Amino acid sequence: MNPSPSTTANVSEAEPFPAGPAVRRPTRQVRIEWGGKSVAVGGDAPVMVQSMTNTDTADAIATAIQVKELALAGSEVVRITVNTAEAAREVPAIREQLDRMGVEAPLVGDFHYNGHKLLTQYPECAQALSKYRINPGNMGAGKKRDDNFAQMIEVACRHGKPVRIGVNWGSLDQDLLARMMDENGRRARPWDAQSVMRDALVVSAIDNARRAEELGLPGDRIILSCKVSNAQDLIAVYRDISRRCDYPLHLGLTEAGMGSKGIVASTAAMGILLQEGIGDTIRVSLTPEPNGDRAREVVVAQEILQSLGLRAFAPVVVACPGCGRTSSTVFQELAADIQSYLRAQMPVWRLKYPGAENLHVAVMGCVVNGPGESKFADIGISLPGTGEQPVAPVFIDGQRSVTLKGEHIAREFQALVEAYVENRYSKR
Ligand code: SF4
């Protein structure tokens, strides 16, 4: 048992309670390249954020615009559907359009059923893409599936592209599952069906990766994923596959759902795995709300990684939840405004003020925790609660700096934040 923390007389010699994520699982490193640039997945690379468009890829303009929006939000890789000849034909135009707009994100083609044909018939598409996503469960059955798979791997080898072999619960190889169910029946103590299905997902991903290597694709051009729609299954499957291979892993809860349900389920499942050092790239698959912002999935993915202290993407705003001590909505509005303002600045600040993503800002509702929390932040404001004097002290680097009052507190605080960032993070 750990001795209790010391008070005054006896200083405990016990080690402090450990904090932070486990050491990342060692993996090979895959490079996704385009136009002389590249991003790394696995190895010593930071956990990478990716996303997927929901436009019709045959509409090159709409797709390029959405890719740009996702990339500006911070998506480091963007996947697009390539499902028809029309879509495959437009892929080079989308890449060119992105290059013209200065969008720095590689494109991944998502293939099901006809990927072998599209990649072979449209070599410009195969070349313009930086990676192919292959689902072995959606390539036919028996010899036909093997041939189609081999054809896609052959294209990847010819163009020097990496692949993600992505198996899904909803499209699991039925031949393999049937065989594994039969084998399970011969066990002295058969597993339950759910366990066999989880095992089949892992076996399918690893077997197909090994087959790709036998067909000539180097092992450092393969990423794996085993997506399911239930958090506990995802945790079990990824813990299992992480012990059985050293390919980088793409993490994501498929069909996570809409709004808070999708965010919470994805965060719960991926948070546990990332804390255990499992996962090299993540995607949050949120069902878009009508007219909703597709880039939300990027923001959520970044916030998962930043909350765990794995990466920093945008300044953190610490805001209290509010309670009966403040009936005003001023601090809620200020917290929301500052958060959106900071995020909107990041595409420019990332280049102009390197390190600004580590900024901590506090916006607090009253004197109870306001000054204390504001002192811990780089810059913080403690707004007046009900019955308090209508003034808002601002703390900079732990010291009380100025006191704001009147109707323009929000604007003045924003100017102070901007000045702080400029002063602290300007390139010298
Ligand atoms: S800081 Fe004040 S207003 Fe905010 S939650 Fe705490 S007591 Fe309530």
Side-chain angles (χ1 to χ4, degrees):
M1 197 171 88
N2 263 348
S4 319
S6 61
T7 50
T8 47
N10 299 320
V11 176
S12 167
E13 295 301 330
E15 293 293 320
F17 198 79
V23 174
R24 283 268 297 289
R25 150 190 176 267
T27 69
R28 308 169 199 220
Q29 187 167 78
V30 174
R31 298 206 79 85
I32 304 173
E33 300 173 330
W34 80 107
K37 303 171 201 107
S38 78
V39 289
V41 182
D44 60 0
V47 181
M48 196 259 286
V49 170
Q50 57 181 294
S51 61
M52 186 171 182
T53 56
N54 64 350
T55 50
D56 178 358
T57 307
D59 184 343
I61 299 291
T63 302
I65 289 171
Q66 195 176 68
V67 172
K68 182 181 178 186
E69 286 165 0
L70 293 166
L72 278 180
S75 187
E76 292 160 300
V77 168
V78 180
R79 183 159 42 117
I80 59 176
T81 300
V82 187
N83 55 339
T84 60
E86 291 74 26
R89 260 198 295 268
E90 292 303 324
V91 169
I94 295 169
R95 180 69 267 169
E96 277 166 32
Q97 180 76 24
L98 293 171
D99 292 340
R100 268 202 301 276
M101 294 191 290
V103 177
E104 302 232 331
L107 289 177
V108 177
D110 193 63
F111 294 97
H112 299 269
Y113 312 111
N114 57 358
H116 57 292
K117 286 190 187 148
L118 295 176
L119 283 172
T120 313
Q121 290 166 3
Y122 298 92
E124 297 84 4
C125 165
Q127 186 52 38
L129 292 168
S130 300
K131 177 161 74 92
Y132 313 145
R133 182 273 167 107
I134 302 177
N135 181 346
N138 279 347
M139 307 185 82
K143 184 173 179 319
K144 197 168 147 211
R145 182 200 49 232
D146 292 347
D147 291 348
N148 294 346
F149 181 81
Q151 208 174 333
M152 289 189 80
I153 297 299
E154 194 270 320
V155 176
C157 292
R158 187 161 5 112
H159 291 274
K161 307 287 180 179
V163 302
R164 168 162 67 96
I165 297 176
V167 297
N168 268 44
W169 201 247
S171 51
L172 180 57
D173 179 342
Q174 292 304 304
D175 295 345
L176 173 73
L177 181 62
R179 200 171 68 237
M180 289 181 68
M181 285 289 186
D182 286 348
E183 288 166 6
N184 184 49
R186 295 198 291 278
R187 282 192 168 101
R189 280 188 295 173
W191 298 359
D192 61 81
Q194 192 87 347
S195 300
V196 179
M197 282 178 76
R198 287 198 295 262
D199 194 33
L201 272 175
V202 173
V203 168
S204 174
I206 296 177
D207 280 1
N208 279 289
R210 303 243 154 96
R211 176 132 196 279
E213 285 202 61
E214 283 162 19
L215 290 164
L217 191 68
D220 61 1
R221 284 208 207 129
I222 300 173
I223 297 171
L224 297 186
S225 67
C226 292
K227 291 199 183 176
V228 298
S229 55
N230 170 285
Q232 290 295 352
D233 285 324
L234 191 87
I235 294 164
V237 163
Y238 274 83
R239 279 177 175 163
D240 189 12
I241 196 170
S242 71
R243 289 189 200 114
R244 288 161 71 167
C245 71
D246 67 351
Y247 299 107
L249 297 177
H250 166 121
L251 219 59
L253 193 68
T254 192
E255 295 114 28
M258 194 178 257
S260 59
K261 189 261 169 196
I263 293 171
V264 171
S266 296
T267 307
M270 289 200 267
I272 287 170
L273 291 165
L274 291 164
Q275 181 70 5
E276 293 177 6
I278 300 169
D280 303 288
T281 172
I282 67 171
R283 183 197 170 205
V284 176
S285 304
L286 295 180
T287 307
E289 285 167 15
N291 302 317
D293 182 2
R294 186 69 174 178
R296 193 173 185 208
E297 67 173 61
V298 177
V299 175
V300 173
Q302 290 182 330
E303 284 177 351
I304 292 173
L305 295 176
Q306 187 150 356
S307 300
L308 288 168
L310 293 170
R311 292 190 66 183
F313 297 96
V316 170
V317 177
V318 177
C320 78
C323 68
R325 286 182 179 272
T326 179
S327 51
S328 133
T329 57
V330 173
F331 91 95
Q332 295 167 356
E333 286 158 13
L334 181 57
D337 287 353
I338 282 287
Q339 182 132 337
S340 347
Y341 163 75
L342 292 171
R343 192 162 270 286
Q345 304 313 306
M346 276 320 288
V348 174
W349 283 6
R350 217 170 274 134
L351 305 171
K352 206 168 158 193
Y353 305 127
E357 65 275 14
N358 296 305
L359 180 77
H360 276 67
V361 180
V363 178
M364 301 295 290
C366 86
V367 75
V368 171
N369 288 320
E373 203 62 69
S374 299
K375 279 185 203 164
F376 276 120
D378 295 312
I379 178 164
I381 186 167
S382 177
L383 290 157
T386 312
E388 292 176 33
Q389 253 196 312
V391 293
V394 174
F395 295 81
I396 296 180
D397 292 330
Q399 303 296 322
R400 188 168 174 151
S401 166
V402 288
T403 299
L404 304 180
K405 54 184 147 192
E407 288 175 11
H408 305 299
I409 286 181
R411 203 190 309 148
E412 288 167 19
F413 183 61
Q414 191 169 303
L416 286 171
V417 171
E418 191 157 354
Y420 181 90
V421 169
E422 192 179 342
N423 185 39
R424 179 165 172 186
Y425 298 106
S426 277
K427 285 186 191 165
R428 306 272 175 224

